[in-house]
Amino acid sequence: MATLDDLEKDERIKKEEKKLKKLYKNIDKDTKSLIDGLIQRAAYMRITLEDYEKDIDQGGYVELFSQSEKTEPYERERPVVRLYNTMNKNYQSIIRQLSDLLPKDGNNNKDKKDPLMEFINK
């Protein structure tokens, strides 16, 4: 049975997916089917990264660790920090792939026609 936290996380993931899909609403069907998986992964990763960030903010980056009761504890990187770093790298890679597939609209400077340049070229 899903807990309240699981339901909240699922809702947050769906909201993030919806936000990303809105950016790609004018894309052709072939490309859209290709990026659906990337969008799902990116949404999951972003929400999970946010959860990891909360955990790291509360628990810090390092913890005291001891192999046994007889050995002196030492500071080590918390496992969630390593997970965060790895997932963040993968998330950024997916976002880069998705941004490369964004439709080119008229908001790019090189796509805009410059009236002065048109006049000069005539």
Side-chain angles (χ1 to χ4, degrees), residues 19-37:
K19 188 172 80 172
L20 287 170
K21 284 182 179 182
K22 191 184 280 189
L23 294 171
Y24 296 91
K25 65 182 176 190
N26 296 330
I27 248 176
D28 64 274
K29 284 186 178 185
D30 292 334
T31 307
K32 193 173 254 187
S33 66
L34 179 89
I35 64 171
D36 276 345

Side-chain angles (χ1 to χ4, degrees), residues 12 19 25 55 63 68 72-73 86 93 97 104 108 110:
R12 291 168 46 217
K19 188 172 80 172
K25 65 182 176 190
D55 186 319
E63 64 185 358
S68 70
E72 194 70 28
T86 301
S93 173
Q97 289 174 340
K104 307 294 183 230
N108 293 341
K110 66 180 182 180

Side-chain angles (χ1 to χ4, degrees), residues 69-122:
E69 294 177 12
K70 298 176 183 175
T71 61
E72 194 70 28
Y74 60 94
E75 283 189 350
R76 73 168 186 176
E77 179 182 60
R78 292 182 60 223
V80 72
V81 173
R82 194 169 304 144
L83 290 170
Y84 175 83
N85 288 334
T86 301
M87 187 176 287
N88 191 25
K89 180 181 176 191
N90 292 333
Y91 171 75
Q92 294 202 23
S93 173
I94 287 175
I95 291 299
R96 189 173 306 115
Q97 289 174 340
L98 284 171
S99 66
D100 288 346
L101 294 170
L102 269 173
K104 307 294 183 230
D105 58 5
N107 293 334
N108 293 341
N109 285 337
K110 66 180 182 180
D111 292 341
K112 287 184 178 179
K113 293 184 179 182
D114 184 2
L116 179 61
M117 290 306 294
E118 284 182 355
F119 177 77
I120 292 172
N121 289 331
K122 287 182 183 180

Side-chain angles (χ1 to χ4, degrees), residues 2-16 43-44 47-48 50-51 54:
T3 66
L4 185 61
D5 287 340
D6 291 337
L7 290 176
E8 180 188 305
K9 185 172 182 174
D10 287 343
E11 290 172 15
R12 291 168 46 217
I13 290 170
K14 286 180 181 165
K15 187 176 178 182
E16 183 66 22
Y44 173 82
I47 300 308
T48 303
E50 288 174 359
D51 292 345
K54 286 179 192 172

